[in-house]
Amino acid sequence: MLTTEERQIYRRHLQLPEIGEAGQLRLKNARVLVVGAGGLGCPILQYLAAAGVGTLGIVDADQVERSNLQRQILYGPADLGQPKAEAAARAVKRINPLVHTEVHSCRATLGNVRELVSRYDVVVDGSDNFPTRYLLNDACVSFNRPLVSGAIYKFEGQVSVFNYQGGPTYRCLFPQPPSAQEAPNCDATGVLGVLPGLVGTAQATEALKVILGIGEVLSGRLWMFDALAFQTRTLKFARRPEQATINLDTANTRDYADLCGVGVRSISVAELHEQLESGHPPFLLDVREPHEYAAGHLPGATLLPLSSLEKGVATLPKQHPVVVYCRSGRRSAQAVERLQTEFGLTNLLNLDGGILAWEDTMTDAENNVSR
């Protein structure tokens, strides 16, 4: 039964015949896993918590960064440097103390996805990369869980519900992952700040409909939104039996590999620092965009954006070690892979964690010295 406090909080739900007390109890007893507490995850968590979903699992391995604040509305300056999943759980408690949160400060991986997905009734995907999307899809097929999926790019977004009551899966719509070159990267391209709010709220709407069993769920339909034109359209797609049955046990695990970095050798911040202090420093290649380079870069680094690699590849050393870096290590891994496969370079190393890891390590080292 609902408590007196719950009846007061959810009164507007109770007034809807489609929900009523029975529906609100379904929400109270529901367990929803939200993967990604970033741009999409913030509005998803905010509205599911306000609606009274009883248990919210939050999966995210990142920390809150200053560049998140433009669109990740659960966080403020006081949260900078905090584990994102923990900060999101605190925000959920502020919104609705009646909601129970389960914090998973990790990435969803092949090693933990079975335990994660099996414990929840619905999975909502707010991730920003293709390996995680395929991993979650296959896990949801394995455990027969509906998957509410969303994605954003620059000014456009899309939402669909997969594996719902025998409907199509993510692989029915996208049978094969894109190559590293084809995969969009938000770090490099940016995104309109309000866009994840619109798309994430749509995902929360679909999750509530799935739990309540009301309305026409976006199964077999892909809803697409163009913020610049403020237009929407819906694409219908069918279940493909050969794709719909792929699960964790039958999938090619390469689909879960980081699309950026297969066959890429890496170097740690500590190793790079040691080499820079030696008499034979490596060549430093920054593959970020010019505005990022201007905001700060490693001393002596040469700028060659990932989008313009082919224009400057002739200027790179062929024998001397080249350390490639970006903000977090993802774009630089793509760059190394392209330079290796397309241009035959064999003297490349990717900086683990990118300039963020460099800055964190150097700051810690300075603090230790000052003590």
Side-chain angles (χ1 to χ4, degrees), residues 154-309:
K154 293 185 177 180
F155 301 96
E156 300 175 355
Q158 61 186 41
V159 176
S160 188
V161 179
F162 301 109
N163 203 49
Y164 176 69
Q165 296 183 346
T169 70
Y170 186 79
R171 288 183 180 273
C172 295
L173 182 60
F174 304 111
Q176 297 294 330
S179 67
Q181 291 78 16
E182 296 170 326
N185 188 305
C186 287
D187 279 349
T189 58
V191 63
L192 180 68
V194 299
L195 180 65
L198 288 158
V199 175
T201 301
Q203 288 181 264
T205 302
E206 291 303 302
L208 293 175
K209 287 162 59 180
V210 167
I211 296 167
L212 293 166
I214 62 174
E216 186 178 352
V217 172
L218 273 174
S219 176
R221 297 182 296 147
L222 180 69
W223 176 78
M224 294 174 285
F225 175 69
D226 181 341
L228 291 182
F230 213 87
Q231 293 180 343
T232 66
R233 62 191 182 103
T234 304
L235 171 71
K236 291 186 177 182
F237 60 97
R239 177 182 170 90
R240 299 184 183 185
E242 72 280 6
Q243 297 293 337
T245 55
I246 294 176
N247 58 36
L248 291 174
D249 296 319
T250 60
N252 184 344
T253 56
R254 280 186 60 85
D255 293 346
Y256 314 141
D258 234 329
L259 291 176
C260 336
V262 177
V264 171
R265 293 182 301 149
S266 62
I267 184 172
S268 69
V269 168
E271 291 170 328
L272 176 58
H273 183 260
E274 183 178 341
Q275 291 186 16
L276 291 175
E277 293 293 311
S278 72
H280 304 282
F283 183 92
L284 297 176
L285 180 64
D286 189 322
V287 295
R288 298 175 299 160
E289 295 301 307
H291 70 275
E292 296 175 282
Y293 182 86
H297 56 269
L298 298 185
T302 296
L303 175 65
L304 182 57
L306 178 63
S307 57
S308 309
L309 275 183

Side-chain angles (χ1 to χ4, degrees), residues 9-29:
I9 294 173
Y10 307 125
R11 184 164 65 92
R12 296 301 188 188
H13 272 178
L14 302 180
Q15 291 173 328
L16 294 170
E18 295 84 354
I19 300 180
E21 184 157 337
Q24 194 62 48
L25 282 170
R26 294 185 69 171
L27 293 176
K28 180 179 179 178
N29 294 326

Side-chain angles (χ1 to χ4, degrees), residues 23 44 49 54 60 66 115 133 175 193 201 207 209 228 252 291 308 328 343 361 365:
I44 293 167
D60 202 299
R66 197 171 298 277
E115 181 181 0
R133 291 168 187 162
T201 301
K209 287 162 59 180
L228 291 182
N252 184 344
H291 70 275
S308 309
S328 63
F343 302 100
T361 302

